[in-house]
């Protein structure tokens, strides 16, 4: 590795707090600790799925793809929060895995550190991937890997609560009609909407659909559009349409509030589908509306399959075969179903909806979604996001007006 690349690695390790970026459905747990095999047909794969042990369908798929490529797979599963630092340190020691599956906002950090190969170099075919999802793994006009699947945010709704309040969910098409629905729900003695506005990446993740849905851009936090999004949330709290608990809610505790059966709406992700089926009441899902109508862009969660830089470039051919196998139409369908992900290609998305019609609104939401590091934000995103969640916290707690909170955020983010 060149000396300049090592310097970028040192800087990237300092920036690796980006691993705090949340919004995926990955569970925690411990994985194996195999190290990279030296030759002998062994190829290493690191992933953020420690919930899947060696008997799982996922682990068996890795082995099957290895067999097809004529190699043995040595897999290591890390918690998402550990994976970036482990990868950066391994790359610094010229011992990066052959295949790395990593949370999509981290791709730009690893790319800027010189850890990842581009699809031009490794010849991965990404032509079938939805462009908005592929953008999460792009930096400086180059693409680093391919998405294995995506999750995002939408609005769950309790059908019984809406019916009792006289609300037709089909009427909810923009912010005004949503707020009107919340007013009716409150008047009927029920609770309106719950979400996560906690002072972490989760808070930014949940605010982004409203921020983007206003027409605002992350490079201009203090725009009039951004102010309107924060004012929307602030007004909901003032009028009692959303509880004050959202200030400290994680996505998990927010879901628990919705699961009580008292709320009309909850902003949450695909990873709650299994819990929704167990909630004990009829629910529906609709994409988050933009300010003036249509679907707002929600942030994409999910992982990218990447090929780290190797000292021996001859390894890329086999690594490319492994990734092609993992992301084939047949295998994506099974993998994304297991991960509660929407597939990154239209072909597999259609198969998913054919098998489960309830996934249709999630496919629509994913098609409107975009990556947090898209538009060449790259490693600028974590700093912007931190100022965003601080502004949200300040406004919702009444410390500052939305305008003042976002003006301070923009100044700090520049």
């Amino acid at each position: 590795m060149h000396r300049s690349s090592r310097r970028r690695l040192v800087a990237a390790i300092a920036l690796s707090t980006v691993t705090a970026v949340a919004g995926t459905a990955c569970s925690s747990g411990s994985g194996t600790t195999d190290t990279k095999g030296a030759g002998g047909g062994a190829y290493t794969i690191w992933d953020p799925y420690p919930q899947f042990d060696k008997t799982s369908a996922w682990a068996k798929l890795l082995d099957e793809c290895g067999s097809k490529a004529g190699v043995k797979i040595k897999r290591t599963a890390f918690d998402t929060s550990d994976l970036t630092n482990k990868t950066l340190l391994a790359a610094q020691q010229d011992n990066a895995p052959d295949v790395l599956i990593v949370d999509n906002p981290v791709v730009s950090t690893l790319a800027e550190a010189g850890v990842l190969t581009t699809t031009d170099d490794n010849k991965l075919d990404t032509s079938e991937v939805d462009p908005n999802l592929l953008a999460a793994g792009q930096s400086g006009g180059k693409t680093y890997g391919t998405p294995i699947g995506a999750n995002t945010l939408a609005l769950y709704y309790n059908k019984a609560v809406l019916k009792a309040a006289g609300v037709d969910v089909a009427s909810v098409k923009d912010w005004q009609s949503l707020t009107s629905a919340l007013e009716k729900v409150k008047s009927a003695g029920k609770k309106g909407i719950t979400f996560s506005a906690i002072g972490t990446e989760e808070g930014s993740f949940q605010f982004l659909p409203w921020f983007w849905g206003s027409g605002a851009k992350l490079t201009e936090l203090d725009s009039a559009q951004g102010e309107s999004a924060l004012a929307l949330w602030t007004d909901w709290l003032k009028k009692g349409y959303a509880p004050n608990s959202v200030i400290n809610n994680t996505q998990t505790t927010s879901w628990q509030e919705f699961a009580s059966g008292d709320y009309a709406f909850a902003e949450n992700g695909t990873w709650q589908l299994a819990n929704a089926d167990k909630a004990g009441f009829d629910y529906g899902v609709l994409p988050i509306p933009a300010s003036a109508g249509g679907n707002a862009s929600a942030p994409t969660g999910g992982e990218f399959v990447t090929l780290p830089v190797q000292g021996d470039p001859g390894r890329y051919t086999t690594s490319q075969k492994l990734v092609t196998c993992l992301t084939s139409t047949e295998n994506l369908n099974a993998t994304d179903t297991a991960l509660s992900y929407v597939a990154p290609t239209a072909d597999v998305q259609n198969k998913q909806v054919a098998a489960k019609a309830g996934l249709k609104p999630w496919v629509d939401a994913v098609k409107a979604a975009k990556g947090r590091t898209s538009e060449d934000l790259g490693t600028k995103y974590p700093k912007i996001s931190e100022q965003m969640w601080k502004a949200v916290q300040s406004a919702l707690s009444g410390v500052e007006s939305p305008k003042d909170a976002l003006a301070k955020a923009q100044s700090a983010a520049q």
Side-chain angles (χ1 to χ4, degrees):
M1 184 176 293
H2 294 299
R3 191 172 299 172
S4 61
S5 296
R6 291 188 183 279
R7 283 198 296 268
R8 290 200 301 271
L9 275 172
V10 172
I13 290 172
L15 282 169
S16 63
T17 52
V18 74
T19 57
V21 171
T24 65
C26 298
S27 303
S28 61
S30 59
T32 63
T33 56
D34 288 341
T35 57
K36 186 174 181 179
Y43 276 67
T44 55
I45 296 179
W46 289 6
D47 69 49
Y49 310 131
Q51 70 271 33
F52 297 138
D53 64 20
K54 63 182 179 181
T55 66
S56 67
W58 168 249
K60 291 177 180 177
L61 173 60
L62 296 181
D63 288 338
E64 289 172 7
C65 287
S67 295
K68 289 180 180 179
V71 298
K72 178 182 178 182
I73 298 301
K74 302 191 75 173
R75 175 205 177 207
T76 306
F78 293 102
D79 286 337
T80 299
S81 57
D82 293 335
L83 188 52
T84 302
N85 284 338
K86 296 286 188 183
T87 301
L88 288 166
L89 291 171
Q92 194 174 29
Q93 298 164 1
D94 294 332
N95 193 33
D98 292 290
V99 176
L100 172 69
I101 303 170
V102 66
D103 198 14
N104 72 64
V106 178
V107 172
S108 58
T109 295
L110 298 179
E112 290 184 28
V115 173
L116 304 178
T117 60
T118 70
T119 52
D120 287 338
D121 294 333
N122 57 45
K123 308 305 178 186
L124 278 178
D125 181 6
T126 61
S127 60
E128 298 299 317
V129 178
D130 286 352
N132 66 313
L133 301 181
L134 191 63
Q138 294 174 329
S139 180
K142 297 180 179 180
T143 303
Y144 297 86
T146 188
I148 198 168
N151 55 32
T152 194
L153 297 166
L155 293 179
Y156 288 85
Y157 59 90
N158 185 317
K159 294 182 179 181
V161 171
L162 291 183
K163 183 177 181 180
V167 174
D168 179 2
V169 74
S171 69
V172 178
K173 297 180 178 180
D174 53 24
W175 289 3
Q176 183 177 352
S177 56
L178 175 57
T179 300
S180 176
L182 296 176
E183 181 181 8
K184 291 179 180 179
V185 168
K186 185 187 177 187
S187 296
K190 290 292 186 177
K191 299 177 181 179
I193 186 169
T194 178
F195 47 87
S196 169
I198 194 171
T200 69
E201 175 61 26
E202 283 191 73
S204 290
F205 188 76
Q206 291 237 321
F207 182 60
L208 276 171
W210 312 96
F211 184 80
W212 281 333
S214 73
K217 298 180 180 179
L218 284 171
T219 51
E220 299 176 37
L221 294 177
D222 58 348
S223 67
Q225 295 93 329
E227 182 186 342
S228 72
L230 188 48
L232 179 74
W233 272 19
T234 303
D235 288 345
W236 284 352
L237 263 67
K238 288 179 179 177
K239 294 176 180 178
Y241 301 160
N244 287 328
S245 58
V246 300
I247 296 174
N248 296 311
N249 268 350
T250 64
Q251 293 181 113
T252 298
T253 56
S254 172
W255 178 260
Q256 291 167 349
E257 289 180 336
F258 180 68
S260 70
D262 293 331
Y263 283 85
F265 296 96
E267 180 184 356
N268 227 298
T270 48
W271 53 91
Q272 298 292 5
L273 277 171
N275 289 329
D277 291 337
K278 300 174 185 176
F281 54 80
D282 287 338
Y283 73 92
V285 178
L286 72 155
I288 296 170
S291 174
N295 297 342
S297 292
T300 56
E303 288 77 45
F304 261 63
V305 191
T306 66
L307 274 62
V309 172
Q310 301 295 323
D312 176 8
R315 299 183 71 84
Y316 298 143
T317 299
T318 297
S319 296
Q320 189 262 9
K321 291 179 181 178
L322 293 174
V323 176
T324 299
C325 175
L326 291 175
T327 57
S328 67
T329 296
E330 177 185 359
N331 290 331
L332 271 179
N333 194 16
T335 298
D336 287 338
T337 298
L339 293 171
S340 293
Y341 280 173
V342 171
T345 65
D347 188 17
V348 183
Q349 289 167 0
N350 292 336
K351 292 179 185 293
Q352 289 180 307
V353 172
K356 187 174 181 179
L359 287 176
K360 179 63 166 61
W362 289 109
V363 170
D364 291 342
V366 163
K367 284 185 175 297
K370 62 181 178 180
R372 285 159 279 177
T373 59
S374 297
E375 300 173 348
D376 265 342
L377 284 180
T379 53
K380 297 175 185 176
Y381 173 75
K383 185 174 183 179
I384 294 171
S385 174
E386 181 180 1
Q387 298 310 317
M388 173 180 279
W389 81 57
K390 286 181 177 179
V392 169
Q393 287 267 299
S394 183
L396 295 188
S397 62
V399 174
E400 294 177 298
S401 68
K403 182 176 182 178
D404 290 344
L406 288 171
K408 182 184 291 185
Q410 178 64 21
S411 178
Q414 286 179 326

